[in-house]
Amino acid sequence: MLSIAMNNTERLRLLVDDLLDIRKIEAGKLELALQRVDVMDLVRKSVEQNQGYALRCNISFALCEATEGVYVTVDPLRIGQVLGNLLSNAAKFSPAGAVVEVSVRRNGADSVEIAVRDHGAGIEPRFHGQLFQKFVQVDASDSRRTSGSGLGLAIVKALVEAHHGSVHFESQVGQGSRFSFQLPIAASG
């Protein structure tokens, strides 16, 4: 019973944190602690921090493509939150034993793309236009396999845009989904 209570308390805390983040973003009061950071350090740290969740979902993360020596000016905590949301979604919607692929690559001279690809059920086209809206869940039925507030992707989009970036996704039913975001590369120095 104590374990159930602790899990429910943690889920409630995460929901409250997400609601507070959305409220700050909508009110234009989100403050970013910008730093120049190596994008690969940020990605590796996020993958490591989410390993426990991957193990609970019986999946693994694999860094499939890395681009070393690229720096971005971001709030590492907030971009870590973006990556955490994408990694946990990919883990949650992947079949047991699957590998979630993470890649980082330059996108031209002035931006870098970070992508998370799962090999799960994919997202039906009828949901594509709503994915980044608040409280949207692809499967809102009472029998759904995964839980969530429907705020994660709305937060992802808002945080990436607050960093002057953009979010994209591709999905095929039965093939999985690929969520990516682009961030401007920091000026040298």
Side-chain angles (χ1 to χ4, degrees), residues 42-113:
L42 195 58
V43 170
R44 285 185 180 106
K45 183 177 181 181
S46 292
V47 167
E48 183 180 308
Q49 289 173 337
N50 286 279
Q51 284 295 350
Y53 189 75
L55 290 173
R56 284 193 301 276
C57 293
N58 194 22
I59 65 99
S60 59
F61 297 131
L63 188 56
C64 295
E65 186 175 351
T67 302
E68 303 293 342
V70 175
Y71 289 81
V72 290
T73 302
V74 298
D75 181 329
L77 209 58
R78 294 303 186 170
I79 296 302
Q81 184 179 1
V82 166
L83 282 163
N85 278 337
L86 294 179
L87 290 167
S88 65
N89 277 353
K92 197 172 9 178
F93 293 105
S94 290
V99 175
V100 170
E101 301 162 1
V102 181
S103 63
V104 179
R105 67 174 165 224
R106 250 185 200 277
N107 191 15
D110 55 3
S111 69
V112 62
E113 177 192 68

Side-chain angles (χ1 to χ4, degrees), residues 20-34:
L20 290 172
D21 285 344
I22 283 288
R23 186 74 184 124
K24 283 181 201 171
I25 291 165
E26 289 176 343
K29 297 190 184 215
L30 180 71
E31 294 184 23
L32 300 175
L34 298 176

Side-chain angles (χ1 to χ4, degrees), residues 14-22 25 78-90 92-93 130-138 144 147-161 167 179 181:
L14 292 172
L15 175 60
V16 170
D17 287 350
D18 283 351
L19 288 168
L20 290 172
D21 285 344
I22 283 288
I25 291 165
R78 294 303 186 170
I79 296 302
Q81 184 179 1
V82 166
L83 282 163
N85 278 337
L86 294 179
L87 290 167
S88 65
N89 277 353
K92 197 172 9 178
F93 293 105
Q130 308 165 45
L131 272 185
F132 295 100
Q133 295 174 12
K134 292 182 296 187
F135 304 111
V136 169
Q137 296 174 333
V138 172
R144 71 176 187 215
S147 64
S149 64
L151 291 171
L153 289 177
I155 290 171
V156 163
K157 185 176 191 299
L159 289 176
V160 169
E161 288 176 352
V167 180
F179 283 83
F181 62 99

